[in-house]
Amino acid sequence: MAFHGGDIETAAEQTGRTRWLDFSANISPLGVPDSVKQAIVQAAEHLSRYPDPYQRKLRRALAETHRVLPEQIVCGNGGADIIFRTLRCLRPRRALLPVPCFSEYEEALTEAGCRVTRWYLPEPFQITRSLCEALENGCYDCLVLCNPNNPTGSVIEPGLLESILETAKQKQMFVLMDECFYDMTEDPEEQNSCIRRIDAFPNLLVVRSLTKRYAIPGLRLGYGICGDVRRIECIRTTGQPWPVNTLAAEAACAALNDQAYQMQFREFLQQARPDLQQGLTQLGFQVWDSHANFLFFRAKGMSHLDLELQEFGILLRHCDTYPGLNADYYRAAVRLPEENAKLLSGLKSCLSAGACGGAQCLKGEV
């Protein structure tokens, strides 16, 4: 099983500590919207009935939100569920996978019997036009992309993305595009989202999730959007027949209608993300610009920074499990200002104590 952030139970077992400030999971610190809580309570009255196996109400709500057809949407038990079911359905033979990236892609491809070729993102961990050359020169039938990328937070330049999609289309290559963090980018109308391209590229499927923005990872709700309705139907019939439970379906509909929460989250992120980035930079870390609700940074020579922070009750995502990254890369979620201040204070204490070489190590002086 892949390693993830947000595993508070394991941290508690290892340390005996039960209260944590979790920067390892990229979840909205604003909490579950009241509208979602109310929808869950009301939906509980219907738990004696089976959920709708076709998710009709939910798909209509998603179709209205994204301005697509309900028939172009498949829903599942989180974004990872859509990824696994899609690849089980399509059974690609050889895939190109830019890394570092979300671990479930390679796990799902391997489970589907696909041979995976890793394409290592060149510094500063950004998709470049050389990816098109790799697609043109290789014999791939599947490409998996993440935009914004996890864990780097980088986005693909729109013109380059169009070239990649055109190349894949010409090569009759399926493209699985993970946009689970896209609603956090500075593109509120989503003009550059691949959802706008599904009709032009029927070989493209876009994966989305409501987990991060609405702080509902415990409910599990994800969906895929594709212009090819036959492919959507194939994915829908792959896996168990009730992938979305009643509570999750009603919660999702309420979240999609909560414009006030969406605005509040966007305003929060636009302020908190640059503030945290500035704080990390001032401490001497190398920090990458992010288009999601997390920051990717390097603490050169500090391979146990996550363990040091546990002494302060703070969980940080160590990125050494991502292909292409070593032990001094980390990812930190963007949380509330007072919580971000605690993270910065904990990091400063680690540096002052000389953990793993301290500030001098960061500056390359040891």
Side-chain angles (χ1 to χ4, degrees):
M1 180 178 292
F3 175 82
H4 294 286
D7 190 355
I8 293 177
E9 287 74 14
T10 296
E13 288 179 355
Q14 294 175 347
T15 65
R17 183 189 292 269
T18 57
R19 296 177 63 86
W20 294 94
L21 183 53
D22 189 7
F23 283 87
S24 69
N26 310 314
I27 306 302
S28 169
L30 302 182
V32 182
D34 289 339
S35 60
V36 171
K37 294 178 182 178
Q38 294 169 8
I40 292 172
V41 171
Q42 294 173 3
E45 298 295 326
H46 306 293
L47 290 180
S48 60
R49 302 201 304 255
Y50 278 97
D52 178 6
Y54 298 99
Q55 302 92 43
R56 295 174 179 88
K57 179 181 177 181
L58 175 56
R59 287 165 62 219
R60 286 195 297 267
L62 289 167
E64 182 177 353
T65 297
H66 294 295
R67 287 171 281 181
V68 299
L69 299 175
E71 294 79 14
Q72 295 174 318
I73 300 173
V74 59
C75 299
N77 185 39
D81 180 43
I82 297 298
I83 292 168
F84 273 82
R85 287 166 59 199
T86 297
L87 296 174
R88 286 174 194 148
C89 169
L90 300 180
R91 295 286 177 181
R93 293 169 297 173
R94 187 176 177 189
L96 188 65
L97 179 65
V99 296
C101 65
F102 186 47
S103 58
E104 254 72 1
Y105 308 143
E106 186 163 354
E107 188 175 320
L109 287 163
T110 301
E111 182 188 280
C114 181
R115 178 183 174 185
V116 179
T117 299
R118 295 173 176 174
W119 187 86
Y120 289 88
L121 293 172
E123 293 272 2
F125 300 108
Q126 184 74 45
I127 295 287
T128 65
R129 290 200 173 271
S130 59
L131 178 62
C132 289
E133 298 175 6
L135 295 175
E136 291 172 349
N137 297 329
C139 297
Y140 308 105
D141 59 356
C142 181
L143 170 67
V144 180
L145 295 171
C146 185
N147 194 36
N149 188 45
N150 176 11
T152 64
S154 61
V155 295
I156 306 172
E157 188 273 322
L160 173 57
L161 178 57
E162 194 74 20
S163 297
I164 293 171
L165 294 178
E166 286 288 355
T167 301
K169 185 178 181 180
Q170 293 172 8
K171 299 277 288 186
Q172 297 183 328
M173 187 184 309
F174 175 74
V175 179
L176 191 153
M177 172 64 75
D178 185 345
E179 288 191 348
C180 286
F181 292 100
Y182 198 90
D183 55 10
M184 301 173 191
T185 64
E186 295 179 3
D187 184 17
E189 299 300 320
E190 301 196 350
Q191 294 297 324
N192 294 319
S193 166
C194 277
I195 294 177
R196 303 280 188 172
R197 297 169 166 86
I198 61 167
D199 291 325
F201 298 98
N203 60 317
L204 166 70
L205 182 133
V206 183
V207 179
R208 287 290 186 100
S209 169
L210 300 181
T211 294
K212 281 76 176 178
R213 186 170 186 172
Y214 299 100
I216 51 174
L219 276 181
R220 313 303 304 141
L221 197 290
Y223 53 100
I225 302 178
C226 180
D228 186 346
V229 296
R230 293 172 300 179
R231 184 166 284 158
I232 286 290
E233 181 62 15
C234 174
I235 298 169
R236 188 190 67 77
T237 56
T238 301
Q240 59 107 352
W242 291 284
V244 180
N245 66 69
T246 299
L247 302 183
E250 291 299 324
C253 291
L256 293 170
N257 288 324
D258 197 332
Q259 300 293 327
Y261 184 94
Q262 295 170 22
M263 181 67 69
Q264 182 184 10
F265 177 80
R266 187 175 294 277
E267 291 176 350
F268 147 76
L269 189 58
Q270 289 175 347
Q271 179 63 44
R273 183 172 56 200
D275 288 349
L276 180 57
Q277 180 173 358
Q278 181 181 20
L280 291 170
T281 302
Q282 290 175 344
L283 287 175
F285 301 113
Q286 181 183 5
V287 189
W288 277 257
D289 291 334
S290 175
H291 297 266
N293 63 335
F294 56 82
L295 289 168
F296 175 67
F297 69 97
R298 186 182 188 190
K300 189 176 181 180
M302 303 185 72
S303 59
H304 301 290
L305 188 57
D306 57 323
L307 298 180
E308 298 289 338
L309 283 174
Q310 288 187 11
E311 298 297 320
F312 301 91
I314 295 173
L315 292 180
L316 185 69
R317 177 65 162 94
H318 203 166
C319 292
D320 61 342
T321 57
Y322 287 91
L325 299 178
N326 60 32
D328 53 15
Y329 288 94
Y330 299 90
R331 190 194 68 198
V334 179
R335 298 190 61 86
L336 298 176
E338 60 270 23
E339 296 172 326
N340 295 336
K342 290 180 180 179
L343 171 64
L344 295 173
S345 177
L347 289 168
K348 185 176 181 179
S349 296
C350 290
L351 295 172
S352 298
C356 304
Q360 288 185 339
C361 184
L362 288 177
K363 296 176 182 177
E365 297 175 3
V366 295

